[in-house]
Amino acid sequence: MVTDLQGVWNPDTGIFWLCDPAVHCPSDMLRFGNTNLGLEGCKCFFETHKCNHICAALRLKRPKF
């Protein structure tokens, strides 16, 4: 799961650059650096996430942990 994306919009090129992700990978805690909180990182995300029209458009469902 990728969280904590930050970005910069470049109006000259029409490109939105995304950077500084935190990747939570429960199956391999040694990948993706020290911000990889694995399953706990995924759980923490969903503690505060409020589904919206984007979730609905993508037909996403809240996982059960």
Side-chain angles (χ1 to χ4, degrees), residues 16-28:
F16 191 79
W17 291 95
L18 296 173
C19 59
D20 200 24
V23 179
H24 304 301
C25 181
S27 64
D28 189 351

Side-chain angles (χ1 to χ4, degrees), residues 24-49:
H24 304 301
C25 181
S27 64
D28 189 351
M29 293 292 293
L30 299 178
R31 286 184 77 181
F32 307 112
N34 60 359
T35 59
N36 179 5
L37 302 178
L39 185 59
E40 287 305 310
C42 296
K43 288 178 182 178
C44 286
F45 171 82
F46 283 105
E47 284 179 3
T48 58
H49 176 72

